[in-house]
Amino acid sequence: MQQRIIATERVHGDRRDWINLRAMLPYLWEFRGRAAIALGCLVLARVANVGVPVVLKGIVDAFSGTRGEALILPFSLLLAYGALKLGSSLFNELRDVVFARVRYRAMRRLSTRVLEHLHALSLRYHLERRTGAVSRDLERGTRSVSTIINYMVFSVLPVLVEFALVAAILFGRYDPVFAFVTFGTVAVYVAFTFAITEWRMDYRHDMNRLDSSANGQAVDSLINYETVKYFGNERLEIDRYDATLATWEEMAVKSQSSMSLLNFGQGAIIALGVTALMVFAARGVVAGTMTVGDLVLVNGLLLQLFIPLGFLGIVYRQIKYALADMDLVFKLLERKPEIADRPSARPLAPGAGGIRFERVDFHYQPERPILSDLDFSIEPGQTLAVVGHSGAGKSTLARLLFRFYDVTGGRILIDGQDLRDLTQDSVRAAIGIVPQDTVLFNESIYYNLLYGRPTATRAEVERAAEMAHIRTFVEGLPDGWDTRVGERGLKLSGGEKQRVAIARAILKHPRILVFDEATSSLDSHTEQAIQQTLSEVAEHHTTLVIAHRLSTVVDAHHILVMEQGRIREQGTHRELLAAGGHYAAMWELQQREGAGAAPGRESLT
């Protein structure tokens, strides 16, 4: 039973290899002319290479004749010998030069397509993935394209061409036994190589899996450096990493040991084949049916054939390894985005930015509903706040509005247009967000600001920074706008990062703004300053404010109180306090705890 499963997996793996090879062809088609020229150079190089021992036979036979012949014929043959050697080298280098563009363009195209596809995949995929493992898989996968092209064009095809030329010479000029021994040796060699290599591939697959896992663990521990330090778990992270590498080490040792067995078997097959051919050739010379030049020619042809054939075993292994690596990439490319534009999707039509959640249901898993029968509207130019305890489903509203997920019931409308009927790009272009955790690129402040609208002018960037009250801070830095913010913006304080996020949102010129817990991680003083900026930015925009601190939403036109994915209460700040319900209890608790209520705010009640 186990053998049947292994055989099935092997057949499936072979089928995947052919599928992946076919999938690679479009990346080569762009430079098919160059590829054809490179193949022509390859054939000429092989012809010159095989011609060398043929000319050498003539030289040897000439020296075996009369002295006069030895003085005349070898001279022209020696020139031909040198020309063929030079021609072989020249055409090989021309092949490399001509094919370089094909090879590296294919790598570039595949790398770009993979990154584009990753951006097209849903948020669910990116929440579940491990950055380090994906990074390592992609690195190996895109590199495997270059490996396969390199070996196929520079190793496999040359051997096949040379094999055909040698076969023609042996069949045309010598006893068929030479060809039969040669082809028999090659057949045994190839069969042995394929069988052992297939057996060894399990070790390679395990090595890849463990390598990606170890890399993912290492990257995770470095990304969470501060958390590791907070809990003093450096040894725990190192032990996890080392345990994975220990298993990888075992697989690597087995892989190397089996490769030594393969190499020895290949060497033994070649040695037996060459010995048998030389015995037949020597007997032919003794019997007078072959000249010494024939002996030299057969020996030269065999050396030229079996030496690259010896490397062909390594090439086959590397191609199999590269196909295993490539499979990771093409399987990723086969993964369908969870959220995709409909064929009839149209851009979001211009409008004032009114939003309508119409009896919306949503769940990540069917057994765990997140939103249930959610029904509310945000009028154009007004601000709606959503409050509630953690886990109430508040932040899910922003994800649905950006269409990172599709609703499982009901619909979401912008200016009367169902999001599912619109292109994702046009929907997201109409929405600006200031998130709770502002993550910045490890680039300059100017780059991170410009990210809101890459086509903006410098004057527009500076104006947005001024509106976000960060321009003075930036211009006071030693490097000014060119100051690098560090990994994920760690060189900036929380308030500074939030102002950068606000400036980016301003620069985007959206019709809708979303503030998702935009001040929850700030101290009270910074929160008040940021809140004032947010209020200024929200004017004349349709705004959705998701908040935990009630002091940040008292000026909203309408407030929803959510609990377990449902709207429990709604109204203005004054109305909700007067109702004395859940919102009023939350307000009283936060006021008592000093959770962020600004001085004098209570008088607004």
Side-chain angles (χ1 to χ4, degrees), residues 9 47 194 204 218 279 314 403-404 417 479 492 513 522:
E9 290 178 347
V47 169
F194 283 13
R204 181 67 182 191
V279 168
I314 299 174
R403 209 181 163 211
F404 291 151
Q417 304 163 76
D479 294 327
L492 300 182
L513 283 172
L522 305 177

Side-chain angles (χ1 to χ4, degrees), residues 137-384:
D137 289 345
L138 295 185
E139 177 189 350
R140 286 201 309 260
T142 52
R143 190 174 61 233
S144 69
V145 174
S146 175
T147 301
I148 290 174
I149 294 174
N150 183 58
Y151 282 130
M152 291 295 289
V153 175
F154 301 150
S155 298
V156 176
L157 288 179
V159 170
L160 293 177
V161 171
E162 195 157 3
F163 187 81
L165 294 172
V166 169
I169 293 174
L170 290 178
F171 270 119
R173 303 182 63 165
Y174 299 106
D175 191 295
V177 70
F178 288 96
F180 291 146
V181 171
T182 300
F183 301 150
T185 302
V186 170
V188 172
Y189 177 93
V190 171
F192 176 78
T193 300
F194 283 13
I196 299 297
T197 302
E198 289 293 341
W199 166 59
R200 297 184 61 248
M201 284 305 297
D202 289 339
Y203 297 135
R204 181 67 182 191
H205 285 300
D206 288 339
M207 287 174 63
N208 281 354
R209 176 181 54 80
L210 293 165
D211 181 52
S212 296
S213 177
N215 192 65
Q217 291 171 353
V219 171
D220 278 353
S221 68
L222 293 175
I223 289 176
N224 297 289
Y225 172 84
E226 291 183 67
T227 303
V228 174
K229 289 294 183 182
Y230 290 152
F231 293 94
N233 280 335
E234 295 91 341
R235 177 47 53 189
L236 173 65
E237 293 298 324
I238 293 171
D239 287 345
R240 286 180 63 224
Y241 182 64
D242 185 61
T244 304
L245 286 182
T247 309
W248 172 86
E249 177 187 346
E250 290 301 316
M251 294 300 104
V253 169
K254 291 179 180 179
S255 177
Q256 182 61 48
S257 300
S258 59
M259 186 172 70
S260 297
L261 172 63
L262 176 59
N263 289 339
F264 175 76
Q266 290 171 336
I269 293 170
I270 291 175
L272 291 173
V274 171
T275 301
L277 286 169
M278 291 306 294
V279 168
F280 284 119
R283 289 175 63 182
V285 173
V286 172
T289 58
M290 296 177 64
T291 65
V292 176
D294 290 321
L295 178 64
V296 171
L297 174 58
V298 171
N299 183 66
L301 290 176
L302 294 177
L303 289 177
Q304 288 192 182
L305 183 61
F306 282 123
I307 289 176
L309 193 61
F311 289 112
L312 192 59
I314 299 174
V315 168
Y316 175 72
R317 293 195 300 271
Q318 293 302 321
I319 289 177
K320 291 294 290 184
Y321 297 159
L323 286 170
D325 294 339
M326 182 189 292
D327 192 47
L328 298 171
V329 172
F330 282 110
K331 280 182 177 177
L332 174 63
L333 291 174
E334 290 169 4
R335 186 175 186 132
K336 301 297 183 184
E338 181 181 348
I339 307 300
D341 290 341
R342 290 174 174 172
S344 59
R346 63 185 187 278
L348 176 65
I355 299 173
R356 170 76 176 159
F357 276 64
E358 192 174 273
R359 305 187 69 83
V360 167
D361 295 329
F362 176 73
H363 58 252
Y364 295 107
Q365 293 91 27
E367 66 275 7
R368 183 169 170 254
I370 303 299
L371 302 176
S372 301
D373 198 27
L374 213 60
D375 201 280
F376 65 87
S377 298
I378 311 176
E379 297 302 319
Q382 293 197 348
T383 297
L384 179 136

Side-chain angles (χ1 to χ4, degrees), residues 352 380-383 430-435 449 460-470 498-516 518-519 528-545 552 555 557:
Q382 293 197 348
T383 297
I431 308 172
I433 187 168
V434 180
L449 291 171
E460 289 174 318
V461 173
E462 292 177 356
R463 171 62 181 156
E466 188 172 341
M467 292 179 65
H469 303 290
I470 197 175
Q498 289 302 83
R499 290 188 188 277
V500 170
I502 294 169
R504 284 196 307 204
I506 293 171
L507 191 64
K508 189 177 181 181
H509 287 170
R511 69 178 86 167
I512 298 168
L513 283 172
V514 177
F515 301 145
D516 186 4
T519 62
Q528 292 178 32
I530 297 292
Q531 190 60 40
Q532 178 61 35
T533 303
L534 293 177
S535 299
E536 295 171 3
V537 173
E539 290 183 11
H540 312 300
H541 287 85
T542 303
T543 306
L544 172 64
V545 178
T552 64
D555 295 328
H557 294 95

Side-chain angles (χ1 to χ4, degrees), residues 380-393:
Q382 293 197 348
T383 297
L384 179 136
V386 181
V387 300
H389 295 298
S390 297

